[in-house]
Amino acid sequence: MSTLYPLFSSVLKEVEQILKETAEMSHPLVVLFRTALEDERQALRNLLPILKQDSPALEDFKKDCSVVYLNDEIVESTFRAWLRAVDWMDHEDSEEAAKLENRFPGIKKTLTEAAAEIENAYGDDTSKYIVPVLYRPQTGGVR
């Protein structure tokens, strides 16, 4: 089993939990980030069987891996916009939004760990086309 499997499996669990917790919400920004989360969930479901192998070829999972990272960026920014909106309007969803807010840093941390694993296993030159800058160990985040 690849070292990436437990990391992406953890992200899938969080994504599914967020989808479950937001299933009844109809705010337009929630609909947007749920759509991105559903795409991310499908990419993770495609990715995990490949990552069960000991040394999967990057070519076999790079497309789905890219979808996970790019959709996570979309989800994060759209969620933040929704959080600001419900806080500003003192909306009934503000309590739920505050609960969900704690999930996103964990997902980003896990994806950052996975990015480091991808870079270590497949090299910087190859991984930079799959993992966005914000998740990359040497180029993204705070130093």
Side-chain angles (χ1 to χ4, degrees):
M1 179 182 316
S2 166
T3 56
L4 295 169
Y5 184 85
L7 296 169
F8 283 107
S9 180
S10 171
V11 172
L12 177 60
K13 288 176 187 164
E14 287 294 325
V15 165
E16 288 178 334
Q17 189 61 37
I18 293 167
L19 284 168
K20 181 179 173 185
E21 291 174 15
T22 59
E24 301 300 317
M25 296 179 184
S26 61
H27 190 283
L29 290 170
V30 174
V31 172
L32 281 174
F33 81 70
R34 281 184 51 82
T35 301
L37 275 174
E38 288 166 358
D39 287 346
E40 188 174 342
R41 175 177 61 184
Q42 187 56 52
L44 286 161
R45 287 179 175 170
N46 295 342
L47 193 62
L48 288 175
I50 296 165
L51 296 178
K52 273 196 170 183
Q53 302 169 20
D54 283 332
S55 297
L58 184 61
E59 191 64 35
D60 294 342
F61 69 89
K62 73 179 184 179
K63 179 183 175 196
D64 288 312
C65 192
S66 290
V67 169
V68 169
Y69 281 101
L70 294 174
N71 279 25
D72 192 68
E73 285 183 311
I74 293 166
V75 168
E76 177 79 22
S77 64
T78 309
F79 173 78
R80 295 275 166 228
W82 175 61
L83 184 62
R84 286 189 303 272
V86 296
D87 279 349
W88 181 73
M89 296 183 312
D90 198 25
H91 193 269
E92 63 188 42
D93 287 345
S94 58
E95 188 176 316
E96 284 302 313
K99 288 180 197 172
L100 287 171
E101 185 177 20
N102 296 328
R103 293 193 181 279
F104 290 96
I107 291 173
K108 185 165 186 168
K109 181 178 182 271
T110 303
L111 287 175
T112 301
E113 289 175 35
E117 289 291 328
I118 291 168
E119 188 175 299
N120 289 337
Y122 301 99
D124 180 57
D125 287 341
T126 307
S127 64
K128 70 182 175 185
Y129 298 108
I130 298 164
V131 180
V133 171
L134 292 175
Y135 299 90
R136 295 175 52 75
Q138 275 132 14
T139 56
V142 177
R143 290 187 198 189

